Amino acid sequence: MKKSLFVILSLVLIAAFALSACGPAEAPATEEPMQEPAVEEPMEEPTEEPAAEATEEPAEEATFDTYITIWSDDMLTPVLLGFVEDFQNEYGIGLVVENVPDRNDQFPIAAPAGEGPDIIMLAHDRLGGFADSGLLAPIDLGDKAANFNPAALQAYSYNGQLVGVPYAVENMAFFYNTDMVDTPPTTWDEVMEVGGALVDAGEATYALALAGTTYDAYPLMTAFGGYVFGTNEDGSYNPQDVGIDSEGMIAAGDFIKAGVEAGYISSSTDWDTAHVQFETGEVPFLMAGPWALDRLRESGVPYAITNFPSETAVGAPFSGVQGFAVNALSDNVLLAQAFLTEFLATDASMQKLAEGSNRPSAWLSVTSDDPDLAAFGEIAAVAQPMPNIPEMGSVWGSWGDATTLVVNGEQDAAEAYGNAAAQIRDLIAGAAAGMVNVPGSWQAASGACEGDWDPACEGSALTDNGDGTYSATFELPAGDYEAKVAMDGAWTENYGVDGAADGDNYAFTVEADGTVTFTYDSETHLLDIVIE
């Protein structure tokens, strides 16, 4: 495949040269026609009084017959811009790098209209929906596949086919306070023994604080054998094998419930609260990701990073993989594939991407001077890729509610996770098809639902008004709340502020006990919130 891409690339360049000799070149597919792609530092300006002997004409800005465009984010755009000059000089093809913060929302709209990028930077859990819509072209890495973290390649595959090139892996790790703990525990029973002794001695408030009910608690759940979806023979996730009510998940729930009742695990599952407790020495252990490194370092808490404790199985976090995918509807699919497989998939390029993203690399030979990132990279070897199948959108709400019920002591683990798994299976089977819901932090307070942020709760579903709008009115106590629109009882399709897909939550305040009316417009995807 490597050689054939170079042949194809050469043929494209020859064809482009021939066309340029016959007529005007086609403008690049950007909003600004023939925009200069290289937007790095401009050439040095002449001094105010140039020397008389300086007779050279200023270099003309380079233009190309063919351009490829990349949509990126604000973190990685500067790194990609650093590749522009080298790529253009080597291949004679223009490279445009655009920072598009809402690219996930814009891509499925722009690509079919012929206005999308040739390459888009994506988190792997967005691949499923885009691939099902025919928006992503396959990638063949050939022998270079051996240079990548196998788990990263698996995460960036869909239906057994690689649909992009991963560059970074991010996952959680187990932190411990080195002033409070000399040797990190290797099992969760030891976590309770060591942490519990600190609590009993008055040296800690809790042994452990949970930073969430699903993703952030998953390494504990997998240690007891819990899982979300089973896998097929090729390693892909099987949506018909739901593991939320597996023996391992229930055992993990029993462990959490016992820890809360003993006063060793905090009943709070708030992310910020858990991090503050670790940073101030109230808890000796924390499960956290590389995104928390800056605040942990700034807090001054002495810490070390190690593998997650195990119990009946290896404690494995979810892994999130960042990478680049090719727009299947682009006019430059072959060139975009060549850019990724021949220019980006190299030691030098991957090293720069890793340094610019502050994340462990998906390229095995990349090194880092940061011991924390190196530790995260080692743990990535046992991490499970976040399911990238659309059915994952049916899992989050019921799974999180079940954990909340267990932590609060309202249900035992078998009942909570059993009910959650049944709801998830029903959702996957289409039981909530057509439902328009407004899940948020208001649901439990209204009495309409047992928990918050549940997209499948029938009590908070909106009623079809017959004119393309859906509405419902609820009584709410005074307070600050958030919400967004979710379709079909799941998070797979959801709309936030300004009707943006996967957009920000709507925030609203009820000044005094009263009613709140939600009205959703199915044409604009806008949500109107009226408080009375």
Side-chain angles (χ1 to χ4, degrees):
M1 184 63 183
K2 177 178 179 180
K3 291 183 179 178
S4 63
L5 278 176
F6 273 117
V7 171
I8 292 168
L9 189 59
S10 299
L11 290 175
V12 171
L13 290 174
I14 292 171
F17 178 81
L19 288 173
S20 66
C22 298
E26 187 177 9
T30 60
E31 294 183 0
E32 298 294 332
M34 295 305 294
Q35 183 179 1
E36 169 57 36
V39 293
E40 296 175 292
E41 291 297 320
M43 298 180 59
E44 290 187 8
E45 297 181 359
T47 57
E48 293 184 3
E49 295 183 3
E53 62 272 17
T55 58
E56 291 186 11
E57 293 292 329
E60 294 183 2
E61 294 183 350
T63 57
F64 302 90
D65 295 323
T66 304
Y67 289 79
I68 57 175
T69 300
I70 303 175
W71 280 4
S72 181
D73 65 0
D74 54 358
M75 178 177 67
L76 212 59
T77 293
V79 182
L80 293 172
L81 286 173
F83 294 148
V84 169
E85 184 175 356
D86 287 344
F87 177 76
Q88 292 181 162
N89 290 340
E90 183 174 352
Y91 291 91
I93 298 170
L95 180 61
V96 178
V97 180
E98 297 177 348
N99 177 19
V100 183
D102 59 346
R103 63 193 179 282
N104 291 334
D105 301 334
Q106 295 300 320
F107 181 64
I109 300 172
E115 298 176 354
D118 301 296
I119 298 171
I120 180 171
M121 192 188 84
L122 287 174
H124 84 273
D125 58 348
R126 299 305 301 265
L127 298 176
F130 290 160
D132 279 343
S133 300
L135 299 180
L136 303 182
I139 292 289
D140 187 346
L141 289 170
D143 294 341
K144 286 189 174 182
N147 295 316
F148 286 88
N149 180 327
L153 292 181
Q154 179 185 349
Y156 236 77
S157 298
Y158 186 70
N159 286 339
Q161 189 172 55
L162 188 66
V163 289
V165 174
Y167 77 87
V169 179
E170 55 186 19
N171 50 265
M172 297 177 68
F174 192 69
F175 287 71
Y176 65 97
N177 185 315
T178 54
D179 278 354
M180 303 172 75
V181 178
D182 293 327
T183 303
T186 58
T187 68
W188 283 100
D189 279 342
E190 289 180 18
V191 170
M192 290 297 101
E193 291 175 8
V194 174
L198 291 170
V199 174
D200 294 343
E203 298 176 20
T205 305
Y206 299 103
L208 179 71
L210 297 176
T213 57
T214 54
Y215 179 97
D216 294 275
Y218 193 58
L220 188 158
M221 296 168 176
T222 56
F224 287 83
Y227 65 99
V228 174
F229 289 117
T231 56
N232 300 309
E233 291 183 2
D234 62 358
S236 61
Y237 283 107
N238 178 5
Q240 303 309 313
D241 182 3
V242 176
I244 297 300
D245 58 348
S246 62
E247 291 183 5
M249 190 69 75
I250 293 171
D254 288 337
F255 175 86
I256 293 172
K257 187 173 186 291
V260 173
E261 291 176 347
Y264 293 155
I265 297 180
S266 171
S267 60
S268 169
T269 56
D270 179 70
W271 189 92
D272 188 65
T273 298
H275 285 70
V276 169
Q277 288 176 330
F278 181 76
E279 292 159 4
T280 56
E282 290 187 64
V283 297
F285 305 112
L286 177 71
M287 296 182 284
W291 44 86
L293 284 175
D294 286 344
R295 63 175 291 164
L296 290 174
R297 290 165 174 169
E298 290 173 3
S299 73
V301 60
Y303 69 83
I305 300 174
T306 188
N307 296 320
F308 285 102
S310 300
E311 207 62 39
T312 60
V314 174
F318 274 135
S319 64
V321 179
Q322 296 285 348
F324 299 92
V326 173
N327 176 3
L329 305 181
S330 163
D331 292 333
N332 299 314
V333 169
L334 295 177
L335 292 177
Q337 290 170 327
F339 172 82
L340 295 182
T341 60
E342 303 300 336
F343 184 84
L344 210 65
T346 63
D347 290 339
S349 294
M350 285 294 179
Q351 184 74 45
K352 291 178 181 178
L353 289 172
E355 293 170 354
S357 65
N358 197 33
R359 295 288 189 272
S361 178
W363 188 262
L364 295 175
S365 65
V366 167
T367 59
S368 174
D369 295 331
D370 188 327
D372 289 343
L373 293 184
F376 276 107
E378 292 178 5
I379 298 167
V382 300
Q384 300 176 8
M386 173 81 74
N388 61 9
I389 55 178
E391 290 83 359
M392 189 63 190
S394 299
V395 174
W396 297 112
S398 298
W399 182 18
D401 286 346
T403 303
T404 298
L405 291 171
V406 170
V407 170
N408 292 341
E410 297 177 48
Q411 291 182 5
D412 62 31
E415 180 183 6
Y417 288 120
N419 292 338
Q423 293 169 0
I424 292 167
R425 293 186 182 103
D426 287 344
L427 289 175
I428 292 174
M435 175 186 284
V436 177
N437 215 325
V438 190
S441 61
W442 65 275
Q443 287 174 293
S446 71
C449 307
E450 289 187 357
D452 290 330
W453 297 105
D454 183 357
C457 174
E458 294 182 0
S460 58
L462 305 186
T463 301
D464 188 349
N465 296 321
D467 59 358
T469 65
Y470 298 75
S471 62
T473 300
F474 304 89
E475 294 184 0
L476 274 178
D480 296 323
Y481 302 98
E482 292 186 352
K484 68 191 311 184
V485 178
M487 312 300 291
D488 303 322
W491 288 109
T492 307
E493 181 182 357
N494 67 84
Y495 301 96
V497 173
D498 296 329
D502 298 318
D504 295 333
N505 299 335
Y506 286 90
F508 62 98
T509 299
V510 179
E511 298 291 350
D513 296 358
T515 63
V516 175
T517 299
F518 299 106
T519 301
Y520 167 71
D521 188 319
S522 61
E523 182 176 350
T524 64
H525 301 305
L526 293 173
L527 179 66
D528 184 46
I529 303 175
V530 177
I531 303 169
E532 296 179 339

